[in-house]
Amino acid sequence: MLIIDGKKVSLVMKEELKTSVESYRSITGKVPGLTVIIVGSDPASQVYVRNKAKTCKEIGMNSSVIEMPEDTPEAHLLEVIASLNADPAVHGILVQQPLPKQIDEFAVTMAIDPEKDVDGFHPENLGKLVMGELDKCFVSCTPYGILELIGRYGIETSGKHCVVIGRSNIVGKPMANLMLQKLKESNCTVTVCHSATKDIASHTRQADILIAAIGRAKFVTADMVKPGAVVIDVGINRIEDPTTKSGTRLVGDVDYEAISATASAMTPVPGGVGPMTIAMLLKNTLHSFERANGL
Ligand code: GUN
């Protein structure tokens, strides 16, 4: 069984991005800049945001984190976004989700300049993705990272049946649409399963490529997977495990131990899809910088 090592690929990508940032700095005297906004104190979000800022610095990009209190009014957040839209030193704006109840996530998505929407959440970017204009849009980082892994590992996809479990705007919907495109990393027949799908196993068992983005620990069991399938696990779920020092452990949406006996290739958790998400965010920020500077 081939282990699709996202940690290793993300390290290679970070070196590639660092080289690009350095060469652009010597040509233009400028570097790409990413601003991340976090509203409230969700502990998981804080870890993600810190990691994003740290990785930016590692590759020589500018990064700043704007922290706002849990009770921030929507209008204030929208004003801050407007000022970042107008700031030429900011090439990427990311508002960490989930947001507190008083803030409408769609209004926030709409407020970000599509040219700086390195999350790829704006309808202009998502719409271009659906139309196959990938070089003219930002692609949502997790699906984009999965496509990058498929490409770098040379996984055969054309004409294969890809089953995506999950229909979120961040992962499931863009992922399914990417796998449908006429790209060398996709060109699949695609099925999307979700919480109302009847007899999910009857669908997943037909998958040559199975992408699980459900958010439930070990949801995909061995009997749901066709022997020889490629299994991509997007889940990051913290479960109790008294044998570890912290008393908890991260697991995916897939029962890795059981399925690794029959799958042909799999992403582990951690160290699979997760590290790729940040790498693609930086790639999107670099692209934004390139477009802004005509590079
Ligand atoms: N929350 C979890 N994943 C993401 C992401 O990729 N972008 C944003 N903005 N929020 C998230």
Side-chain angles (χ1 to χ4, degrees), residues 31-52:
V31 294
L34 173 71
T35 298
V36 180
I37 302 176
I38 178 166
V39 187
S41 53
D42 176 59
S45 290
Q46 283 185 327
V47 173
Y48 294 143
V49 165
R50 248 182 270 131
N51 273 338
K52 287 169 186 169

Side-chain angles (χ1 to χ4, degrees), residues 52 94-97 119 121 170 277:
K52 287 169 186 169
L94 181 149
V95 181
Q96 186 68 26
Q97 292 185 1
D119 254 333
F121 292 175
I170 299 185
T277 299

Side-chain angles (χ1 to χ4, degrees), residues 154-286:
I155 290 165
E156 281 284 329
T157 52
S158 186
K160 304 274 170 143
H161 188 180
C162 175
V163 177
V164 177
I165 320 177
R167 56 174 157 181
S168 69
N169 289 333
I170 299 185
V171 183
K173 281 182 201 154
M175 189 77 247
N177 276 283
L178 283 172
M179 297 313 287
L180 197 58
Q181 301 298 330
K182 205 171 175 180
L183 298 169
K184 79 170 172 21
E185 302 87 356
S186 51
N187 213 16
C188 289
T189 302
V190 179
T191 300
V192 184
C193 299
H194 49 78
S195 51
T197 301
K198 294 202 170 67
D199 191 7
I200 280 200
S202 71
H203 297 282
T204 60
R205 272 197 293 268
Q206 293 175 39
D208 302 307
I209 300 158
L210 180 61
I211 304 178
I214 313 136
R216 280 168 62 183
K218 300 190 184 188
F219 178 89
V220 179
T221 48
D223 58 305
M224 294 169 72
V225 180
K226 177 162 85 172
V230 173
V231 181
I232 308 286
D233 190 350
V234 182
I236 304 178
N237 309 290
R238 193 166 285 283
I239 60 163
E240 285 184 17
D241 181 354
T243 67
T244 66
K245 211 162 87 186
S246 66
T248 66
R249 175 166 66 95
L250 289 182
V251 297
D253 289 349
V254 164
D255 185 350
Y256 186 88
E257 283 74 26
I259 293 169
S260 58
T262 56
S264 65
M266 276 182 94
T267 58
V269 175
V273 173
M276 291 301 291
T277 299
I278 294 190
M280 303 319 286
L281 174 67
L282 302 179
K283 188 168 171 154
N284 279 346
T285 307
L286 182 76

